[in-house]
């Protein structure tokens, strides 16, 4: 047994922890690590990865003791650091080894202690490692490093943080000489690529891989709507099918000891949690995501571990190997989009060695069912998406050139050689290196003096402002006015577009009303109603090409035995495909269908998120040029939807699609991207990381056109476009698809709007949006609107009083002066009545006064109907006028128009740009 290879002191600790038998991964990895080999251990959570790496390294530390930091343990998350500190301190205390953690939350006194008396094992993040090179004592401690463990290495390998870490490890090697590298990775589809990233150029890395599929039990479920779901949908302002999914999830959570419920976005997590709390206050469920405060996240983790919570709704914030206790079941709400995400998430259930993982995917639509069935089949077949390390991210190169100069002058040749040893920069041409060095010198971050360069004063500020490669968006703290506690953060874009006094929103699974908007925080109070869902940047998970293609093949016919779904899921999918097949051509992996509606074209294409986005951008530009008017476009993994300026012949769409040739795809998409909103956001990020724009610059005040002109044909502009192409598009796959269309391997069929096309128009990612406004939803809306309290405001005498729509008659008169011009105002705009008495008005104030008179005219002519409209969220005078212009006496028509206006308001706020 491999444990016998370890020091008796370690065996004693294992015995005390009741660990007697090694797992398969440990049996294979421990001898390799003891032999000094670089090792990548690939296994799901709960397989004993950490012990497989650390037990042999602990053996080396206690059998060949030295001074200084001997072992660096690097994780991508501070939460993982806290968890790892607790786990390793148990071993350290027993073995006489000092373990410490160092990251952004570490106190100044602890930092000083580490600088004077280095721990044997230091747990840290890639960003904190950057700062450690700047201190004289810490650099000396780093020169003693013999071992580096990179936990969750797959999370770092394909982004800028990983490229930054790869260069940092080469800088450690410059100080300490060669050291042993151990990587711990979740299951990925390209182990060799991750191993190459870990090792750098010229180092061999052994791969140890643990099988996972046989340990997993997953089913795809489609809950059928029951009568009670329809009633509840009205109360919770949602769709009956979504309520059925919530009901099924609640049943599963209550039927297990401890359940993690994964969702794909933070807004979905908040929407579900808020509705559960309104539905059943006694249902012990929490919410966990990256935009909640650290204190709130730790509170949720502790409550879940101690089983004060039965369930925890979470995003990818709990995908990684944080110990969250005895979870025995995992739910994925709708498709996880990617195979590796499903394996990682379901693997959180039974997060202990030897325990089988069990979970369910609850799907809400036929498209979600099909995708979930495919992702589950691929997971059980161990067919994972490939992970590819991006070559030559120039933002990281600029950042690391400045970072290297933090310790003193740097020979240019030495810097180039060091960077090239890091795997992401293994083929970096000297010309590109020199161009980036020249650019940061022109910006003023470094001085180049012959064959040496050194950092400037501006470069020092730049370095500390840009330690992290994570994209910056300014955030606002959310402070509970009652307890004065910080409950979370909101992205600047949501605050600018939505936040005003008395507006309500959801966070921490509760609804909050804004009391005051301050410079950097919102003061809020908790309320009991459904608020708006905040938006956060960086949310969407792309569906891979391979998954979308198999969904397309399923549409052409499939065998139920190949997939793991319940009877209701298969029936719903078969009914959906059957309805399509009875009157329309079936879009598959080898057929594109183009559906024409009124000023609308839907291209059903099973090519996944990035390929569809690439084709959509090219089509939009080519059609706009052809028609002489702009063409709006939206996409999902199975469709491209064109919003046309006028009715267009189907042949025009087909000809434009066929006009794209494989040889021109990359050139065309680069041209399209130059002035695209995609590039605008990336360009500002890249400009900040190059030091051309200050870190805290407000993106609204950044002169985008001037910046583009100033940096045309420079590495900065090249990097911005390359970053967009890498993150948002898939040029290589698009070239394959375009070539297949040209060769006739993918055919094109025309038809009217079909069930599959219509699904793309009606499905919404927002829980707040019902797909069908049935009677129960409209009546619930009516009850809510009737209870809203409005500030009735007389334009004649200025008196205000409160009134609910249900108390209003056909006419509303002022109780003070008998005036008939009465405006219905909300809490947030009630003070605009004061403008009536003001003599000198600004242009904006004049607009407000005109809105007041328009508002009062609508109340005068429509009475209670107008009050119902103004009680709707986000409905001002212009929208109310459009709603009330209908002569229909049918109350449900009025309510339906109000509901649609609220949905439009929610969407525009959600997707504000």
């Amino acid at each position: 047994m491999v444990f016998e290879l370890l020091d008796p002191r370690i065996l004693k600790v294992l015995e005390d922890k009741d660990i007697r038998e090694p797992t398969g991964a440990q049996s294979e990895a421990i001898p390799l690590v003891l032999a000094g080999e670089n090792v990548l251990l690939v296994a799901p959570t709960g397989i004993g990865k950490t012990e497989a790496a650390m037990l042999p390294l602990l053996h080396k530390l206690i059998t060949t003791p030295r001074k200084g930091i001997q072992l660096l343990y690097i994780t991508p998350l501070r939460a993982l650091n806290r968890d790892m500190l607790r786990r390793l301190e148990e071993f350290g205390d027993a073995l006489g080894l000092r373990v410490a953690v160092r990251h952004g939350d570490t106190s100044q006194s602890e930092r000083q202690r580490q600088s004077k008396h280095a721990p044997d094992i230091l747990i840290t993040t890639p960003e904190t490692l950057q700062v450690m090179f700047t201190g004289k004592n810490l650099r000396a401690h780093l020169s003693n490093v013999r071992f580096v463990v990179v936990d969750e290495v797959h999370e770092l390998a394909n982004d800028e943080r990983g490229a930054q870490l790869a260069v940092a490890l080469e800088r450690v090697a410059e100080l300490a000489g060669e050291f042993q590298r151990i990587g711990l990775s979740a299951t990925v589809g390209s182990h060799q690529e991750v191993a190459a990233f870990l090792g750098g150029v010229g180092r061999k890395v052994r791969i140890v891989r643990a099988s996972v599929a046989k340990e997993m039990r997953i089913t795809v479920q489609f809950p059928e709507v029951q009568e009670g779901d329809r009633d509840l949908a009205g109360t919770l302002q949602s769709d009956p099918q979504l309520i059925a999914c919530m009901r099924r999830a609640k049943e599963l959570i209550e039927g297990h000891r401890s359940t993690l419920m994964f969702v794909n976005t933070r807004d979905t997590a908040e929407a579900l949690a808020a509705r559960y709390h309104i539905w059943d206050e006694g249902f012990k469920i929490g919410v966990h995501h990256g935009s909640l405060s650290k204190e709130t996240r730790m509170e949720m983790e502790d409550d879940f571990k101690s089983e004060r919570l039965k369930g925890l709704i979470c995003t990818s914030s709990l995908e990684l190997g944080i110990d969250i206790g005895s979870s025995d079941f995992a739910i994925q709400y709708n498709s996880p989009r990617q195979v590796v995400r499903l394996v990682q998430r379901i693997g959180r259930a039974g997060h202990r060695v030897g325990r089988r993982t069990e979970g369910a995917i609850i799907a809400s639509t036929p498209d979600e069912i099909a995708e979930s069935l495919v992702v589950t089949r691929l997971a059980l077949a161990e067919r994972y998406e490939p992970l590819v390390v991006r070559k030559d991210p120039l933002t990281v190169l600029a950042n690391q050139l400045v970072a290297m100069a933090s310790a003193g002058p740097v020979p240019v040749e030495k810097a180039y050689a060091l960077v090239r040893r890091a795997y992401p920069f293994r083929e970096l041409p000297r010309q590109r290196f020199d161009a980036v060095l020249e650019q940061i010198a022109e910006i003023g971050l470094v001085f180049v003096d012959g064959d040496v360069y050194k950092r400037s004063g501006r470069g020092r500020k730049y370095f500390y402002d840009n330690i992290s490669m994570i994209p910056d968006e300014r955030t606002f703290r959310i402070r509970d006015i009652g307890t004065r506690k910080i409950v979370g953060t909101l992205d600047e874009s949501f605050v600018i577009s939505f936040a005003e006094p008395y507006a309500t929103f959801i966070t921490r699974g509760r609804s909050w009303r804004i009391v005051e908007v301050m410079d950097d925080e919102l003061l809020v109070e908790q309320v009991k109603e459904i608020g708006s869902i905040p938006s956060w940047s960086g949310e969407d998970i792309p569906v891979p090409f391979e998954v979308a293609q198999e969904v397309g093949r399923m549409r052409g016919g499939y065998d139920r035995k190949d997939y793991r779904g319940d009877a209701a899921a298969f029936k719903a999918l078969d009914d959906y495909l059957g309805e399509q097949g009875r009157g329309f051509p079936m879009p598959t992996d080898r057929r594109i269908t183009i559906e024409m509606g009124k000023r609308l074209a839907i291209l059903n294409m099973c090519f996944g998120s990035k390929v569809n986005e690439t084709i959509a951008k090219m089509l939009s530009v080519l059609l706009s040029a052809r028609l002489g008017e702009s063409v709006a476009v939206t996409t999902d993994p199975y469709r491209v939807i064109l919003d046309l300026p006028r009715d267009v012949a189907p042949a025009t769409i087909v000809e434009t699609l066929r006009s794209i040739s494989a040889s021109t795809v990359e050139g065309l998409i680069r041209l399209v991207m130059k002035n695209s909103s995609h590039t605008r956001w990336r360009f500002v990020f890249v400009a900040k990381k190059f030091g051309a724009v200050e870190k805290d610059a407000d993106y609204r005040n950044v002169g985008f056109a001037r910046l583009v002109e100033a940096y045309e044909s420079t590495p900065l502009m090249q990097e911005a476009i390359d970053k967009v192409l890498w993150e948002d598009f898939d040029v290589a796959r698009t070239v394959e698809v375009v070539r297949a269309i040209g060769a006739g391997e993918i055919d094109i069929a025309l038809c009217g709007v079909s069930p599959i096309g219509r699904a793309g128009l009606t499905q919404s990612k927002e829980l707040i949006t019902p797909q069908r406004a049935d009677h129960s939803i409209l009546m619930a809306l009516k009850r809510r609107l009737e209870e809203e309290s409005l500030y009735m405001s007389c334009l004649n005498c200025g008196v205000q009083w409160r009134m609910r729509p249900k108390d209003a008659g056909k006419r509303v008169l002022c109780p003070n002066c008998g005036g008939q011009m009465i405006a219905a105002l909300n809490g947030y705009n009630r003070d605009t009545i004061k403008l009536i008495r003001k003599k000198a008005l600004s242009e904006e104030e004049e607009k407000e006064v005109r809105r007041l008179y328009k508002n009062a005219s609508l109340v005068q002519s429509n009475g209670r109907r107008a009050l119902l409209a103004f009680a709707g969220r986000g409905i001002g005078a212009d929208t109310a006028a459009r709603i009330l212009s209908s002569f229909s006496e049918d109350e449900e028509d009025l309510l339906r128009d109000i509901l649609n206006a609220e949905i439009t308001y929610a969407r525009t706020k959600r997707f504000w740009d």
Side-chain angles (χ1 to χ4, degrees), residues 314-330:
C314 49
T315 60
S316 54
S317 61
L318 281 182
E319 265 182 37
L320 302 184
I322 303 165
D323 182 7
I324 37 75
S326 57
S327 172
D328 62 338
F329 198 76

Side-chain angles (χ1 to χ4, degrees), residues 103 240 281 325 354 416 578 612 691 718 726 732 793 816:
H103 52 55
E281 193 61 54
Y416 179 60
N612 282 5
Q718 178 188 350
W726 176 261
S793 308
N816 183 52

Side-chain angles (χ1 to χ4, degrees), residues 220 334-336 361 363 367-377:
V220 178
N334 276 326
S335 164
I361 303 176
D367 280 349
E368 294 284 356
I369 292 168
E371 188 174 289
S372 300
L373 290 170
V374 168
V375 170
T376 302
R377 190 194 73 76

Side-chain angles (χ1 to χ4, degrees), residues 799-812:
V799 162
Q800 283 188 324
W801 70 99
R802 298 180 77 167
M803 178 182 283
R804 295 177 299 184
K806 75 175 186 179
D807 299 327
K810 288 191 175 181
R811 299 185 67 196
V812 180

Side-chain angles (χ1 to χ4, degrees), residues 264 335-338 367-368 371 540-552 555 587-589 603-613 615 634-641 756 760 763 765:
N264 293 334
S335 164
R337 312 297 177 216
Q338 298 172 352
D367 280 349
E368 294 284 356
E371 188 174 289
D540 291 338
I541 300 172
V543 174
F545 178 80
E546 295 81 4
V547 169
Q549 283 279 280
E550 183 165 340
V551 169
R555 290 175 175 178
T588 67
D589 58 321
L603 287 75
N604 294 303
M605 308 191 300
C606 299
F607 303 135
S609 302
K610 291 189 174 183
V611 173
N612 282 5
E613 185 71 23
I615 292 173
T634 56
T635 67
D636 68 33
Y638 308 102
R639 299 167 192 84
V640 170
I641 302 173
I756 284 180
Q763 287 172 16
K765 293 179 184 175

Side-chain angles (χ1 to χ4, degrees), residues 836-894:
I836 296 294
R837 300 280 181 254
K838 190 175 178 182
K839 291 183 179 178
L841 297 174
S842 67
E843 185 178 342
E844 189 55 44
E845 287 172 335
E846 286 179 358
K847 289 180 184 176
E848 286 295 336
V849 170
R850 286 197 292 273
R851 290 191 192 103
L852 274 176
Y853 277 97
K854 189 171 188 177
N855 180 314
S857 297
L858 292 169
V859 173
Q860 185 182 40
S861 55
N862 292 277
R864 178 176 165 278
R865 285 165 52 87
L867 268 62
L868 285 171
F870 283 118
R873 295 195 184 95
I875 296 179
D878 293 337
T879 305
R882 178 176 54 75
I883 291 170
L884 296 166
S885 64
S886 169
F887 292 99
S888 171
E889 293 298 318
D890 187 339
E891 185 179 62
E892 288 204 3
D893 282 349
L894 171 67

